[in-house]
């Protein structure tokens, strides 16, 4: 499942949100499907996610992402962070954009 939080972090004149999923593969596939650029993936973040604008958030919701709270996002992020760190050794299995 793919999720988008309601964080609304203000930076560079935009409101930003976090797109995440139950697996890295699902996250990247969904991002490609809604046209997110590879640079939107927050490489090196504690919890794997894409930073998305309000418009991109709405597009994600229209394509089936589930709206969640920031608290839910932290819990989901923790759950997927461990497998992502182990897989990061071989990015070819992790990233579509390597």
């Amino acid at each position: 499942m793919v999720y988008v939080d309601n964080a609304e972090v203000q930076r560079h004149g935009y409101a930003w949100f976090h797109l995440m999923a139950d697996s890295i593969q699902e996250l990247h596939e969904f991002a490609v499907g809604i046209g997110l650029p590879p640079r939107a993936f927050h490489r090196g973040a504690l919890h794997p996610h894409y930073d998305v604008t309000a418009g991109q958030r709405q597009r994600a919701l229209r394509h089936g992402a589930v709206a969640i709270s920031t608290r839910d996002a932290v819990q989901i992020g923790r759950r997927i962070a461990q497998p992502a760190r182990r897989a990061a050794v071989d990015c070819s299995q992790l990233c579509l954009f390597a």
Side-chain angles (χ1 to χ4, degrees), residues 1 8-9 16 39 55-57 59 76 78 89 91 98:
M1 185 166 293
E8 198 166 344
V9 175
W16 295 92
R39 69 180 179 278
Q56 292 166 331
R57 180 181 188 273
R59 190 172 351 147
I76 292 164
R78 285 181 182 151
V89 173
C91 194

Side-chain angles (χ1 to χ4, degrees), residues 83-97:
R85 283 196 197 108
R86 285 193 299 272
V89 173
D90 182 4
C91 194
S92 67
Q93 294 178 355
L94 173 67
C95 303
L96 297 175
F97 310 114

Side-chain angles (χ1 to χ4, degrees), residues 28-36 63:
H28 288 311
E29 288 173 359
F30 188 89
V32 168
I34 64 168
L36 292 181
H63 285 84

Side-chain angles (χ1 to χ4, degrees), residues 3-6 18 20 47 68-79:
Y3 313 92
V4 64
D5 72 9
N6 62 355
H18 304 103
M20 56 187 54
H47 304 115
I68 59 172
S69 70
T70 53
R71 180 176 291 210
D72 292 335
V74 170
Q75 292 172 345
I76 292 164
R78 285 181 182 151
R79 187 174 69 229

Side-chain angles (χ1 to χ4, degrees), residues 17-32:
F17 305 86
H18 304 103
L19 181 76
M20 56 187 54
D22 289 328
S23 75
I24 294 294
Q25 181 176 348
E26 182 178 26
L27 177 61
H28 288 311
E29 288 173 359
F30 188 89
V32 168

